[in-house]
Amino acid sequence: MDLDQSKNETFVDFVGGVQLLQGDGTRTAVPVLLIGLCVSGAAGNLLVMLTFYRDFRHARGSEVKALLAAVAAADLAILLLCAPVRVVTYYRRSWTLGGFACSTADWFQHACVVAKTLTLATTSRAQHHAAAAAPGGGGPTWIHGALAFIWGVSATLPIPQFLFASLRPLGADTFVCVSETPVCAAEAMGLFYKVYPALTFALPAAFTLAYHVKALHAAVNRGGPARAGTRRQSKVTLVLLCVSGANALLLLPEWSAFTWTRLGHSKPPAGLAVFAQVLVYAGSCAPPAILMTMYDDVRRGVAALWFAATCRGAGRAAVRGCPKSGENGAEAGAHVGAAAAGEASSQGEPQDKTFPDVEHFWTGRRNTHVEDDQDPVPWEREEKML
């Protein structure tokens, strides 16, 4: 997987996934693993976003939920837009996606990863106001401004990943996508690659973990009986600590390989680089799994979405079972009663609920027999006689 450096460049690294790998195992195992992570992670993040959207529609939203929804959106972009590029790269072992994808592949993934880390750090501020119940703790305007600033910074800092990415031909129809640092920019980029990982990963992750640990320590050591609201905020803080810790742990190999490659005298092994890239996408699958197992609001929201989907299907089946023209009144009454009972059960009411008036009406008129010489509607004949 090594490439020779030219006289006008000081660094060569692959962009969009490790290329020129040998062996059939990496060509099949890595793409299959990435596809599995994409499918499962995308489904989990979509469920989390739908749950938070449902909470906001029912006036149960909060700043923490809005920021966690932004984290889920960043993870969804990583899984749906960045991971497929790596799947194609590992399968083809060369670059076949064109020059524009080569220039933007690493830049866009870095922007999403940095935005996710900074958004998780911002949740500490939102959780502080939620736990302290401070008035004027912020609203939609604050959230929108914070997210706009985060994404602006996240898209600006990885610009060198966009500027120095280019295609290099290896044969008549074979290309590789590499990142090349010119000699004139070697010193500036050396300083940049020392500051960039610290600003975008190390400091935000350390701040987030330290804040949540401190908040949990203060909640545990607080004297007196804890109120229900305090216990709930402590649980939310624990969930945020787990999400932030999983994100930092799973991104650590990728940032370590990134720094090692750009500042070290040798490159990391190809196996370590591939393993670090796979963990990036595993890190996008971890937050929805943690939220759906530990966060009570998300767990109840997912259950409500599931019941709503299943009950809606049951409701369509009940509508398809309605009486057609030609059925007698007793059968129609039975269908009406069954449909009403099904609707009551879908809303959480007992299924044995009856309607006395309707039941009495149809019971008194069921299986009535009319004599041949008896007029079933005598009032119509009286009106004609008058």
Side-chain angles (χ1 to χ4, degrees), residues 159-178:
I159 282 181
Q161 302 298 109
F162 172 82
L163 295 177
F164 299 143
S166 61
L167 288 176
R168 174 182 288 191
L170 290 183
D173 298 325
T174 304
F175 294 88
V176 291
C177 183
V178 296

Side-chain angles (χ1 to χ4, degrees), residues 1-3 12-21 85 88-103 165-180:
M1 55 168 276
D2 292 332
L3 291 177
V12 174
D13 185 31
F14 291 107
V15 174
V18 182
Q19 300 155 53
L20 304 180
L21 290 173
V85 174
V88 176
T89 300
Y90 284 117
Y91 182 74
R92 295 289 186 179
R93 297 181 179 178
S94 61
W95 192 261
T96 58
L97 300 177
F100 178 76
C102 175
S103 300
S166 61
L167 288 176
R168 174 182 288 191
L170 290 183
D173 298 325
T174 304
F175 294 88
V176 291
C177 183
V178 296
S179 177
E180 304 174 353

Side-chain angles (χ1 to χ4, degrees), residues 77 135 149 167 175 205 282 311 315 325 334 383:
F149 176 77
L167 288 176
F175 294 88
C311 291
S325 58
E383 289 179 357

